[in-house]
Amino acid sequence: MSGAPVSTPRRGELPSAPDVLEPVWVRGVLIAVALTFLTLFLFVPLVAVFAEALKKGWETYVHAIVEDDAISAIKLTLLTAAIAVPLNLIFGVAASWCIAKFEFRGKSLLLTLIDLPFSVSPVISGLIYVLLFGAQGWFGPWLQEHDIKILFAVPGIVLATIFVTFPFVARELIPLMQAQGNEEEEAAVVLGASGWQTFFRVTLPNIKWGLLYGVILCNARAMGEFGAVSVVSGHIRGETNTMPLQVEILYNEYNFAAAFAVASLLALLALVTLALKTFIEWRLHENRADEATEH
């Protein structure tokens, strides 16, 4: 029985799937639809943000960014991400190591809790902190007695950001570690390596690209979070406004040039994140191709 020749993949390449035999016009329609959606819902809004930001000239754009409230919002956004991302990194590595490498009672419950921020609205998660730390909340009176401020201050913003971003690193590493199995770690232990030596010399090199991928996604969400932070921040200008909140305030005040200027910074961060994400996806594909070749 004759058929189309099947090419043998070269070393370092994964076997390619057979070509899909649709008519040319079907492929053209599908490509046109995809490009239309990308243009309408991605490229046009992105161009509009930068066009509106620069509409009144470069001086107005720069002035909007270096204005005191904008600088404060940028600093708070970076500070929040600088605290939330490393903590989520530690949690994600520990949780994924525990779930992927060990069997224990409550494992499914831990997985469910990790996924909780994906199923709960960010606004609801912010309200949870209000119920806990607000003036009428569970710990509110005690916090007031000891002059500890969590809501409408940096701690509340950091806590809300940590909650909405902590699944990203763990959810990226768990399937990666499960696919890699335990053979290399077990071999290292048999050869006399300690737990820390096994992690740093065996596990970490195998997951480094997946780990970086999760960190980038976590950082992007931390900088762009709006709902949960809006609830706990209090919208105090120059103190508790992050960049997304600053954009909202400026827009509501009809200061469109300044609003789009700050929004353009978030858009630039998104583009940088997308570029890093694409690079890491490519590196992950290369690593998987090398592993498939070795096996």
Side-chain angles (χ1 to χ4, degrees), residues 70-137:
I71 292 294
S72 175
I74 294 171
K75 288 181 178 179
L76 181 57
T77 302
L78 296 176
L79 174 63
T80 301
I83 297 174
V85 173
L87 291 177
N88 283 324
L89 169 63
I90 296 172
F91 169 80
V93 172
S96 56
W97 172 278
C98 183
I99 291 171
K101 303 298 182 180
F102 302 99
E103 294 295 332
F104 56 92
R105 184 177 301 175
K107 183 175 180 178
S108 59
L109 177 60
L110 179 57
L111 279 169
T112 302
L113 292 176
I114 290 175
D115 290 335
L116 186 62
F118 287 146
S119 58
V120 175
S121 167
V123 175
I124 300 301
S125 64
L127 287 174
I128 292 173
Y129 287 104
V130 173
L131 293 174
L132 289 175
F133 305 119
Q136 307 301 323

Side-chain angles (χ1 to χ4, degrees), residues 6-238:
V6 178
S7 60
T8 303
R10 292 175 296 177
R11 178 176 178 83
E13 294 183 352
L14 291 176
S16 58
D19 291 337
V20 181
L21 302 178
E22 276 91 2
V24 175
W25 69 268
V26 174
R27 299 184 187 184
V29 170
L30 292 176
I31 293 173
V33 170
L35 290 177
T36 300
F37 270 83
L38 284 174
T39 301
L40 292 177
F41 298 108
L42 179 62
F43 298 135
V44 171
L46 191 61
V47 171
V49 168
F50 288 98
E52 289 293 330
L54 297 170
K55 189 175 183 179
K56 293 186 178 181
W58 181 254
E59 291 184 1
T60 302
Y61 178 84
V62 173
H63 176 74
I65 292 177
V66 300
E67 193 260 338
D68 290 341
D69 290 344
I71 292 294
S72 175
I74 294 171
K75 288 181 178 179
L76 181 57
T77 302
L78 296 176
L79 174 63
T80 301
I83 297 174
V85 173
L87 291 177
N88 283 324
L89 169 63
I90 296 172
F91 169 80
V93 172
S96 56
W97 172 278
C98 183
I99 291 171
K101 303 298 182 180
F102 302 99
E103 294 295 332
F104 56 92
R105 184 177 301 175
K107 183 175 180 178
S108 59
L109 177 60
L110 179 57
L111 279 169
T112 302
L113 292 176
I114 290 175
D115 290 335
L116 186 62
F118 287 146
S119 58
V120 175
S121 167
V123 175
I124 300 301
S125 64
L127 287 174
I128 292 173
Y129 287 104
V130 173
L131 293 174
L132 289 175
F133 305 119
Q136 307 301 323
W138 292 0
F139 305 109
W142 184 88
L143 293 172
Q144 287 182 338
E145 289 178 5
H146 294 79
D147 196 25
I148 300 175
K149 197 170 184 180
I150 294 181
L151 288 183
F152 313 139
V154 175
I157 295 173
V158 171
L159 286 174
T161 303
I162 290 174
F163 179 82
V164 298
T165 57
F166 79 79
F168 286 95
V169 176
R171 264 305 170 190
E172 182 62 32
L173 291 182
I174 289 171
L176 180 60
M177 285 188 175
Q178 288 175 334
Q180 290 175 348
N182 300 332
E183 290 81 5
E184 293 186 21
E185 284 86 353
E186 291 173 352
V189 172
V190 169
L191 293 174
S194 64
W196 286 112
Q197 289 175 327
T198 301
F199 175 76
F200 283 110
R201 297 185 180 182
V202 179
T203 304
L204 188 58
N206 289 337
I207 66 171
K208 61 181 179 181
W209 291 110
L211 179 61
L212 186 56
Y213 185 84
V215 167
I216 289 174
L217 293 179
C218 179
N219 183 69
R221 179 62 187 276
M223 288 189 173
E225 174 56 31
F226 179 84
V229 171
S230 179
V231 174
V232 302
S233 71
H235 296 267
I236 304 173
R237 298 190 70 155

